[in-house]
Amino acid sequence: MNFLRGVMGGQSAGPQHTEAETIQKLCDRVASSTLLDDRRNAVRALKSLSKKYRLEVGIQAMEHLIHVLQTDRSDSEIIGYALDTLYNIISNDEEEEVEENSTRQSEDLGSQFTEIFIKQQENVTLLLSLLEEFDFHVRWPGVKLLTSLLKQLGPQVQQIILVSPMGVSRLMDLLADSREVIRNDGVLLLQALTRSNGAIQKIVAFENAFERLLDIITEEGNSDGGIVVEDCLILLQNLLKNNNSNQNFFKEGSYIQRMKPWFEVGDENSGWSAQKVTNLHLMLQLVRVLVSPNNPPGATSSCQKAMFQCGLLQQLCTILMATGVPADILTETINTVSEVIRGCQVNQDYFASVNAPSNPPRPAIVVLLMSMVNERQPFVLRCAVLYCFQCFLYKNQKGQGEIVSTLLPSTIDATGNSVSAGQLLCGGLFSTDSLSNWCAAVALAHALQENATQKEQLLRVQLATSIGNPPVSLLQQCTNILSQGSKIQTRVGLLMLLCTWLSSCPIAVTHFLHNSANVPFLTGQIAENLGEEEQLVQGLCALLLGISIYFNDNSLESYMKEKLKQLIEKRIGKENFIEKLGFISKHELYSRASQKPQPNFPSPEYMIFDHEFTKLVKELEGVITKAIYKSSEEDKQEEEVKKTLEQHDSIVTHYKNMIREQDLQLEELKQQISTLKCQNEQLQTAVTQQVSQIQQHKDQYNLLKVQLGKDNQHQGSYSDGAQMNGIQPEEIGRLREEIEELKSNQELLQSQLAEKDAFIENLKSSQPSPGTNEQSSVTASARDSEQIEELKQELATLKSQLNSQSSEITKLQTEKQELLEKTEAFAKSVPIPGESETVIATKTTDVEGRLSALLQETKELKNEIKALSEERTAIKEQLDSSNSTIAILQNEKNKLEVDITDSKKEQDDLLVLLADQDQKIFSLKNKLKELGHPVEEEDELESGDQDDEDDEDEDDSKEQGHI
């Protein structure tokens, strides 16, 4: 600034200089000065002049400022001044727009300077590289400058950044900056960068933008946050709107679940600041972006399911039924819920179950319909409720049936305590408010959309017009109101309802034609030459009459297809009829309604066409035109073709049903096969396990046999060593005899076991008398007990032998210790005086010999002790195996006793049965004798023998079943 003061002071002292000359001098100083301070002061002076003299500074200094950015990167201060100056030159801030006479001229100036700056793509790349600097005075003005460039010439700058290496990634780092000013301006920069550029939107999304933005929204307080939350939501909309790839990435990343806390606003009557309303409005719009009807059906459906599963739909319904919610938020919430449930059966079922917090509770649908038919409610709210009702019924035949059922006589509440959805629609249909008439007619038409069953059911609805008069059908009442000449909006709504009702429903067409006044009314309306306002009504009347011809089943002789065509030819003329029919699609509001499902109108006057009705017109206009020009012969041929097709369809349907039944049978058989396979696998697994267990038992048995043979060989191999170590051969022989005795006992037990098995087989083959069984069982049990006692005594003997061997080992150890002590005492002894050296040497030699002998004996004792301990361990193992064998034999004995007991019981039962049969035979013989029938003894004997044989067969079969 001192340099600037010098320049300005020189201006006042000398001749008058213009601002352009001052700026020129400053630019020269920036270009030619070798001192960094001089260049810095000059750039700072240009910055201070750039706002007021934007054009002059831009023309003269831009090139020098870019050169400073390239050459003086080491000095952050001069870089910051240069970036600020360029920002002032390029941006169109509000202050300048107020001061300038022409805003357009200011905008053109900014775009021209932007074009000059980006003409060299290296300038944008240089600016991106400067954003990597962490210095606040460099990064912040760089962010603002790049944002301004994007606002001026967005597509061109976007393309340069897109081809720049790591260009988008560098900008994404701004969201992680700890300084909120830079982070917030980075959000604004990304807003401008992602606008209308799908490629950059995808790159930003895959650079983890969703995670970072949602974190910022959470940190700022969700809907209670400030303008930063608003900026983040706008950026999220840029990334997701009309970008199927990003929408799928958002859903797959489980980011929909993180949206639920946004709508936890409760039922509070306060706390709705303007910023909160704005934030919540943007949040609702973001939800609608994900479930928009313009998205691919699969993507919309998956997002709808995710919103229901995470509880987002439930949270929106809570806001919908809350009190104190601002009107615009309530309207947008209704629109959001509409698109979340549209075409999704699960969500539609949940919405049908939502109740308003009233006393008594009312369904949410009823509460919303009450608002729709209430003319005091805001227009946008009524449109939102109509859209919600349409979305609830879209592809929802279950919901359509529930709505129509509330109009049928069997379901109407006679007490009148509760109002139903159908009653509200009828009330709106016949009210004095034309907007209510139109909304109710369209809503009722959606209850019939593509549902022939409900079209037929609605014919049953009867209305009481006045006291004393008979009830009138709903169809007749609609035509009566049409003939009364009500408002155009009311007539258009009723005609759309009738066209939807009669299309694809010959029964409804027959009911409509049955009233003789309907056809003359339609032909009269079409034939008249009315003004432009009435042309739309004429076109709809022509469409209704055309539907009555096309879907006519010729059940009424007076109104058959051919007669109706002749009537049109005489009264209207075919060309005139087709021209009037074309008035519908040529209407200016028709194309607007056909674009979006949502009924979004600027005012009630524009509320003429329904989106679904435009689809119906497009579908029927061509076929009705063909039907009018067809001759009677062509109609007959078409009827024959239709009948043939119907027969063909019936045959196809029959075969389809057969195939469906066969498919069901195949599925059942497949399930049975899979069940049997599972059972087979389980049985095979069990068999395999049993085989492996048997093999394991065999291996264990073989291993035990091998070990027993090795033990016998081992005992024979070291018998000599045992004799040398102090164990007498007699003791070894005695131990062997005991082992042999144990083996013989084991063989005896096995033979006894075999005898018992044979005994059991004998019992099974021939049932002996009970007394014999008792004696044998007593004998066997006594023998087994004696053997067990003998085995126990033998075990006690073996244990005592082990104890004696252990005492002998202890004795040997004590003797060894005494020998060692004697050796040490002898070594310490002093030689006797007076003896010669030869005697001393001899004694020393003797002592050494005795010591070596003692050491050798000690080593042998150690070996003997080791061998004894091993032998003791082997004997213990033999004892353990003997104990296990005894336990196994005891278990087998118990099993035999149980089998014997069972056989005794069976024999007792057989004896009782034989006794009963004998008693019966005896009583029957006595009765025969009393009756005078002679009974011979041979017959008695033969019958008795035969009975005995039968009893024996029965006993054998029972015994086999028991075994």
Side-chain angles (χ1 to χ4, degrees):
M1 292 305 292
N2 293 331
F3 173 75
L4 181 61
R5 290 194 190 98
V7 173
M8 300 307 289
Q11 290 178 3
S12 61
Q16 198 72 20
H17 294 282
T18 62
E19 293 83 1
E21 293 175 350
T22 305
I23 294 169
Q24 183 62 44
K25 288 182 179 181
L26 292 171
C27 291
D28 293 341
R29 182 58 60 90
V30 172
S32 60
S33 180
T34 57
L35 294 177
L36 181 60
D37 291 339
D38 289 346
R39 294 199 303 276
R40 186 189 302 118
N41 291 333
V43 174
R44 183 167 54 190
L46 287 171
K47 174 189 171 184
S48 62
L49 294 171
S50 59
K51 288 189 176 181
K52 189 174 182 180
Y53 305 105
R54 177 184 177 190
L55 178 61
E56 292 80 4
V57 175
I59 292 173
Q60 299 185 43
M62 179 175 284
E63 184 178 352
H64 301 294
L65 294 171
I66 295 172
H67 184 70
V68 168
L69 296 178
Q70 293 172 347
T71 58
D72 291 330
R73 290 191 61 171
S74 59
D75 185 65
S76 60
E77 192 173 357
I78 191 172
I79 295 293
Y81 291 148
L83 291 171
D84 283 330
T85 307
L86 288 170
Y87 172 73
N88 293 335
I89 295 170
I90 291 171
S91 66
N92 298 319
D93 55 10
E94 297 178 359
E95 294 179 2
E96 186 176 355
E97 290 178 4
V98 173
E99 294 176 2
E100 290 287 340
N101 295 327
S102 176
T103 304
R104 183 179 299 176
Q105 182 180 358
S106 175
E107 291 178 355
D108 291 343
L109 191 62
S111 62
Q112 288 173 5
F113 282 131
T114 302
E115 189 173 357
I116 294 170
F117 184 84
I118 68 172
K119 191 173 184 181
Q120 299 293 329
Q121 295 187 6
E122 295 80 6
N123 295 337
V124 179
T125 306
L126 175 63
L127 184 56
L128 290 173
S129 64
L130 289 173
L131 291 179
E132 294 182 348
E133 298 290 337
F134 188 74
D135 194 306
F136 181 80
H137 297 289
V138 176
R139 179 173 272 196
W140 188 38
V143 171
K144 293 194 295 181
L145 176 59
L146 188 55
T147 305
S148 182
L149 292 173
L150 287 164
K151 287 180 179 178
Q152 297 294 341
L153 294 174
Q156 294 90 325
V157 180
Q158 286 174 343
Q159 192 62 29
I160 295 171
I161 294 173
L162 190 60
V163 299
S164 176
M166 299 297 291
V168 179
S169 300
R170 291 172 181 172
L171 300 180
M172 286 301 300
D173 293 337
L174 299 173
L175 295 180
D177 201 303
S178 59
R179 295 159 294 193
E180 290 189 2
V181 177
I182 296 177
R183 183 199 68 184
N184 299 342
D185 283 351
V187 174
L188 297 175
L189 170 60
L190 290 172
Q191 279 183 21
L193 180 66
T194 56
R195 190 172 290 118
S196 303
N197 193 307
I200 293 179
Q201 289 169 2
K202 291 179 182 179
I203 295 173
V204 171
F206 282 95
E207 287 285 346
N208 206 21
F210 293 138
E211 184 76 28
R212 295 183 184 181
L213 291 173
L214 292 172
D215 288 341
I216 293 172
I217 292 172
T218 304
E219 291 170 5
E220 295 292 328
N222 293 328
S223 60
D224 294 322
I227 195 171
V228 179
V229 174
E230 179 183 349
D231 294 335
C232 291
L233 291 170
I234 294 172
L235 177 54
L236 284 172
Q237 283 193 20
N238 289 350
L239 295 174
L240 293 172
K241 195 169 186 178
N242 299 324
N243 194 317
N244 299 328
S245 174
N246 282 3
Q247 289 175 7
N248 186 54
F249 180 67
F250 190 85
K251 179 185 70 69
E252 295 296 334
S254 300
Y255 295 119
I256 291 177
Q257 288 80 342
R258 296 188 60 179
M259 298 169 70
K260 181 187 175 185
W262 295 356
F263 305 102
E264 294 176 355
V265 296
D267 194 10
E268 301 174 359
N269 295 322
S270 60
W272 290 94
S273 62
Q275 187 62 55
K276 181 174 181 177
V277 171
T278 303
N279 291 344
L280 201 56
H281 202 275
L282 289 170
M283 290 171 177
L284 292 168
Q285 287 181 351
L286 191 62
V287 175
R288 293 185 66 184
V289 165
L290 294 170
V291 292
S292 172
N294 298 326
N295 295 341
T300 300
S301 176
S302 59
C303 289
Q304 288 172 334
K305 292 177 182 177
M307 289 177 183
F308 174 75
Q309 292 170 357
C310 73
L312 180 58
L313 175 60
Q314 294 84 329
Q315 202 66 45
L316 292 173
C317 291
T318 302
I319 298 175
L320 196 66
M321 295 291 106
T323 57
V325 180
D328 54 346
I329 293 297
L330 181 61
T331 303
E332 190 63 24
T333 304
I334 294 172
N335 288 327
T336 305
V337 171
S338 305
E339 294 183 352
V340 172
I341 68 173
R342 187 176 189 269
C344 182
Q345 188 66 51
V346 177
N347 294 4
Q348 289 168 339
D349 292 342
Y350 170 76
F351 184 71
S353 66
V354 176
N355 289 324
S358 59
N359 192 13
R362 288 178 176 174
I365 298 173
V366 174
V367 176
L368 292 174
L369 288 177
M370 292 172 70
S371 301
M372 186 186 74
V373 298
N374 187 354
E375 55 185 315
R376 290 175 294 181
Q377 293 292 339
F379 173 68
V380 290
L381 179 63
R382 299 174 74 179
C383 291
V385 173
L386 176 61
Y387 185 45
C388 184
F389 192 73
Q390 291 174 352
C391 292
F392 170 67
L393 296 178
Y394 182 71
K395 294 183 179 180
N396 183 11
Q397 293 192 355
K398 179 182 176 183
Q400 289 174 329
E402 291 173 354
I403 296 299
V404 173
S405 66
T406 58
L407 285 167
L408 299 178
S410 59
T411 58
I412 295 176
D413 188 4
T415 60
N417 293 331
S418 61
V419 63
S420 65
Q423 291 171 336
L424 287 170
L425 291 176
C426 281
L429 194 63
F430 307 122
S431 71
T432 56
D433 179 31
S434 60
L435 185 60
S436 297
N437 301 151
W438 191 91
C439 291
V442 171
L444 198 55
H446 277 262
L448 307 176
Q449 200 76 38
E450 299 179 358
N451 195 330
T453 303
Q454 302 310 322
K455 291 177 182 179
E456 296 176 6
Q457 288 292 320
L458 200 64
L459 295 171
R460 297 170 50 201
V461 177
Q462 300 289 322
L463 302 175
T465 54
S466 60
I467 299 174
N469 294 329
V472 180
S473 67
L474 178 61
L475 183 65
Q476 184 60 43
Q477 185 65 17
C478 291
T479 56
N480 291 341
I481 295 173
L482 275 176
S483 62
Q484 292 173 3
S486 54
K487 294 181 180 180
I488 291 179
Q489 194 173 38
T490 301
R491 285 183 287 164
V492 169
L494 289 172
L495 285 168
M496 287 194 297
L497 172 60
L498 290 173
C499 289
T500 305
W501 194 346
L502 268 61
S503 64
S504 304
C505 186
I507 298 175
V509 172
T510 303
H511 278 73
F512 178 76
L513 296 175
H514 194 270
N515 187 352
S516 58
N518 289 339
V519 174
F521 168 74
L522 292 178
T523 55
Q525 287 286 319
I526 300 168
E528 290 183 7
N529 292 321
L530 303 174
E532 293 182 359
E533 295 181 353
E534 294 291 334
Q535 286 182 353
L536 177 59
V537 176
Q538 288 182 316
L540 291 171
C541 289
L543 178 65
L544 183 58
L545 186 57
I547 290 172
S548 301
I549 295 173
Y550 184 73
F551 294 103
N552 193 341
D553 59 356
N554 295 326
S555 58
L556 294 176
E557 292 184 2
S558 56
Y559 291 109
M560 296 177 69
K561 285 185 178 183
E562 189 60 31
K563 291 184 178 180
L564 289 173
K565 290 180 186 180
Q566 293 174 1
L567 184 65
I568 291 173
E569 181 70 26
K570 292 178 181 179
R571 298 275 182 90
I572 306 168
K574 292 183 178 180
E575 290 78 9
N576 191 21
F577 180 85
I578 299 302
E579 182 184 357
K580 297 291 178 69
L581 182 63
F583 285 162
I584 302 173
S585 57
K586 293 177 182 178
H587 199 277
E588 57 181 353
L589 298 177
Y590 176 86
S591 59
R592 182 172 182 174
S594 63
Q595 293 174 0
K596 293 182 180 180
Q598 182 182 0
N600 189 11
F601 305 101
S603 62
E605 292 78 18
Y606 291 88
M607 208 168 192
I608 297 297
F609 285 108
D610 173 57
H611 177 74
E612 292 296 328
F613 180 73
T614 60
K615 292 182 179 179
L616 182 66
V617 172
K618 188 176 180 181
E619 177 185 349
L620 295 178
E621 188 176 5
V623 296
I624 289 174
T625 303
K626 291 180 181 178
I628 293 297
Y629 284 106
K630 281 181 181 178
S631 62
S632 59
E633 295 179 356
E634 291 176 346
D635 285 338
K636 289 180 181 179
Q637 291 177 358
E638 187 177 353
E639 289 293 331
E640 292 177 358
V641 170
K642 282 185 178 179
K643 289 180 180 178
T644 305
L645 290 175
E646 288 176 358
Q647 292 176 357
H648 177 72
D649 291 341
S650 64
I651 294 171
V652 171
T653 305
H654 175 67
Y655 281 113
K656 283 183 178 179
N657 293 331
M658 288 179 61
I659 292 169
R660 192 177 294 110
E661 291 176 359
Q662 291 176 356
D663 288 340
L664 293 175
Q665 293 176 358
L666 283 174
E667 288 296 328
E668 292 178 357
L669 292 173
K670 285 180 180 179
Q671 291 178 358
Q672 292 177 3
I673 290 170
S674 62
T675 305
L676 292 173
K677 282 183 178 179
C678 292
Q679 293 177 357
N680 187 23
E681 290 176 357
Q682 292 176 357
L683 292 173
Q684 287 181 353
T685 305
V687 169
T688 305
Q689 291 177 353
Q690 290 177 357
V691 170
S692 63
Q693 289 178 359
I694 291 169
Q695 188 63 37
Q696 289 178 0
H697 291 316
K698 287 181 178 179
D699 295 340
Q700 291 176 359
Y701 176 71
N702 294 330
L703 184 63
L704 289 173
K705 286 174 70 177
V706 171
Q707 287 180 352
L708 185 61
K710 286 183 178 180
D711 290 340
N712 292 334
Q713 292 177 3
H714 178 67
Q715 288 178 358
S717 63
Y718 72 81
S719 60
D720 297 335
Q723 184 177 1
M724 292 174 61
N725 291 330
I727 300 175
Q728 297 298 324
E730 294 81 4
E731 293 179 358
I732 294 172
R734 183 169 51 80
L735 289 173
R736 287 180 178 175
E737 291 175 358
E738 290 176 357
I739 291 170
E740 291 295 332
E741 187 177 355
L742 286 173
K743 286 182 180 180
S744 62
N745 289 333
Q746 184 179 358
E747 291 175 355
L748 179 63
L749 288 173
Q750 288 179 351
S751 63
Q752 290 176 359
L753 181 60
E755 291 176 359
K756 290 176 182 178
D757 289 338
F759 179 70
I760 290 168
E761 292 296 329
N762 293 330
L763 285 175
K764 290 177 182 177
S765 59
S766 62
Q767 294 292 336
S769 63
T772 308
N773 286 334
E774 290 177 1
Q775 291 177 1
S776 62
S777 64
V778 169
T779 306
S781 61
R783 193 188 312 154
D784 291 338
S785 60
E786 289 175 359
Q787 291 176 356
I788 290 167
E789 289 297 329
E790 291 176 358
L791 289 172
K792 287 182 179 179
Q793 290 177 2
E794 291 173 358
L795 285 173
T797 305
L798 289 172
K799 288 180 180 179
S800 63
Q801 291 176 0
L802 285 174
N803 292 329
S804 63
Q805 287 178 358
S806 61
S807 62
E808 289 177 0
I809 290 168
T810 306
K811 183 178 179 181
L812 290 170
Q813 288 177 350
T814 54
E815 289 178 358
K816 171 190 171 184
Q817 190 66 27
E818 290 176 358
L819 288 171
L820 289 173
E821 290 176 357
K822 289 178 180 179
T823 304
E824 291 175 357
F826 184 78
K828 292 178 181 178
S829 62
V830 182
I832 302 170
E835 290 182 344
S836 64
E837 294 180 358
T838 305
V839 176
I840 293 170
T842 304
K843 289 183 178 181
T844 303
T845 304
D846 294 338
V847 170
E848 289 177 356
R850 292 175 64 185
L851 281 172
S852 60
L854 288 171
L855 290 172
Q856 183 66 29
E857 188 176 358
T858 303
K859 188 181 293 184
E860 292 176 356
L861 288 171
K862 285 182 180 179
N863 293 331
E864 291 174 1
I865 291 167
K866 185 177 180 181
L868 288 171
S869 62
E870 290 176 354
E871 186 177 358
R872 180 184 178 186
T873 303
I875 293 171
K876 279 186 176 181
E877 291 177 355
Q878 291 177 2
L879 287 173
D880 292 337
S881 63
S882 300
N883 289 331
S884 63
T885 304
I886 292 168
I888 292 169
L889 294 173
Q890 184 66 31
N891 290 332
E892 292 178 353
K893 174 191 171 186
N894 294 333
K895 288 180 182 178
L896 290 171
E897 290 178 351
V898 171
D899 293 338
I900 292 167
T901 306
D902 292 339
S903 62
K904 284 181 183 179
K905 289 180 180 179
E906 291 177 0
Q907 289 178 354
D908 293 338
D909 293 338
L910 289 172
L911 290 173
V912 171
L913 288 172
L914 288 172
D916 291 340
Q917 288 181 357
D918 291 339
Q919 186 66 31
K920 287 179 182 178
I921 292 168
F922 183 73
S923 61
L924 290 172
K925 285 181 180 180
N926 291 332
K927 286 182 181 181
L928 289 171
K929 288 179 180 179
E930 291 175 358
L931 292 172
H933 189 276
V935 179
E936 296 180 0
E937 292 298 328
E938 292 180 357
D939 294 339
E940 292 176 4
L941 291 173
E942 289 177 359
S943 63
D945 294 339
Q946 185 67 31
D947 291 338
D948 290 341
E949 291 177 0
D950 293 341
D951 292 340
E952 288 178 1
D953 294 339
E954 184 179 358
D955 292 341
D956 293 338
S957 63
K958 285 185 179 180
E959 181 61 25
Q960 291 175 0
H962 175 70
I963 293 169

